[in-house]
Amino acid sequence: MLNKAAKPLVKLVDRYLPDPYIFVLLLTLVVLIAAVVAEHKTPLEVINYWGDGFWTLLSFSMQMLLVLVAGFMLASSPPIKKLLDAIAGFAKSAPQAIILVTLVSLAASWINWGFGLVVGALFAKALARKVKVDYRLLVASAYSGFVVWHGGLAGSIPLTIATAGHFSEAQIGIIPTSETIFASFNLLLVAILFVVMPLVNRFMLPEDKDSIYVDPSALDDKGSDPAASALEFTPANVSECQLESRPADKLENSRLLGWSVGGAGLVYLGYYFWVQGGSLNLNLVNFLFLFLAILLHQTPRSLLTSLNEAIKGGAGIVIQFPFYAGIMAVMVQSGLAQSISEGFVAIASAESLPFWSFISAGIVNIFVPSGGGQWAVQAPIMLPAAEALGADVARVAMAVAWGDAWTNLIQPFWALPVLAIAGLKARDIMGFCLMQLMITGVIISIALSWF
């Protein structure tokens, strides 16, 4: 059974995988040294690449922080908590909980990766309040749905090459999503993962003696109790009557204010989607989460109380993302990412190029955890190779996309929002994620090569 196969992986990761901050520090040193040794750059050149790129992900870092914060605030609102609890009520046992959270996460991630990360983690918490289940596997199952994002509606690579004016248009033209996202091989692959992933996660369920459970009361969101927090900021010499009569406090407890601003945000979204025909992206997901949270919390005080609780989980994002930006800069500027890709291309044929593109993209993704950034690095190598070998360009592009999504399963960079919401550390889930990585790697490789 998979639970026995996963057991040594879980123990190995628990013993040796450091905190994600330590991981990114070690990864930084590895990349700096590799750029000097493999690309024959001087140490000063490499340090300059690293320093110049250190702050290039500030905008994206803020987006990811808002994914966490806005998602938390939305989930801590009374209506959403009731909805998640109601859906969680369909699971009556640990196996059912694992299967249900995997399916919900897969569906949400196929729609949009940011949406999938938050919904999966929040739903895992809701299930853990209802069902006695290994909490580590439950959260790992929620995260596992992320593997389909680049084959879904928000996949950055297929959407890029389907957009007029993309940087490779002169070489490959515009490739419609009918040949990538909605191609038969991609849809079949997604469908297979929707069947296999819930079963893989279910059969990794540890025996009771090896399981780690969580006290449901520990998962209660303190931010959902605005009254308790309000008293923390009340001076000792101010009575409840005086507190309620102050204009500032009336504004903080004004439902009209919350409803008006929240409603205005939803009106904008309606206009954007139905009148302008806009598409879903990370900014729109954050906008939707934020204004739904404003509306559903009703009062500004309730929302701010939830915010105070949510922001505590964002420390990892704030400190680690700049280091990944520096790593990406070194990988690109030194030529290290290109060398990795070229090494795989050199041994490929027309039939095997999608497979080697997938493998190389998976390796590069460990160091360049950004779908768009990775395509910018690999497209100049993969596209000429596809043309020279007579390979299917659309399939090669999707192979890079799937490689990027595949190794996200073991990339702490993307797990940070999920871990922050769930209250776990990377080593708690990565043993299970390693098993998911191996099984999905085989499935995706076969699909790209034979379907």
Side-chain angles (χ1 to χ4, degrees), residues 28 31-32 35 46-51 325-337:
T28 297
V31 170
L32 293 176
V46 173
I47 290 294
N48 280 332
Y49 298 149
W50 179 67
I327 290 170
M328 288 170 59
V330 173
M331 290 288 294
V332 174
Q333 297 299 320
S334 71
L336 197 55

Side-chain angles (χ1 to χ4, degrees), residues 84-89 91-92 125-132 216 219:
L84 290 174
D85 286 342
I87 299 174
K92 305 301 182 184
K125 289 182 70 175
L127 283 165
R129 296 188 189 102
K130 299 279 187 180
V131 179
K132 186 180 180 182
L219 298 174

Side-chain angles (χ1 to χ4, degrees), residues 83-143:
L83 176 62
L84 290 174
D85 286 342
I87 299 174
F90 288 107
K92 305 301 182 184
S93 64
Q96 290 178 4
I98 295 298
I99 291 173
L100 187 58
V101 76
T102 308
L103 288 172
V104 167
S105 178
L106 283 164
S109 296
W110 190 80
I111 294 170
N112 179 274
W113 64 266
F115 185 65
L117 284 176
V118 173
V119 167
L122 296 173
F123 189 52
K125 289 182 70 175
L127 283 165
R129 296 188 189 102
K130 299 279 187 180
V131 179
K132 186 180 180 182
V133 57
D134 188 293
Y135 190 54
R136 303 164 304 166
L137 178 59
L138 187 68
V139 175
S141 300
Y143 184 54

Side-chain angles (χ1 to χ4, degrees), residues 381-402:
I381 296 101
M382 297 303 175
L383 294 181
E387 291 185 328
L389 294 171
D392 183 343
V393 173
R395 188 179 289 259
V396 169
M398 288 307 295
V400 175
W402 278 103

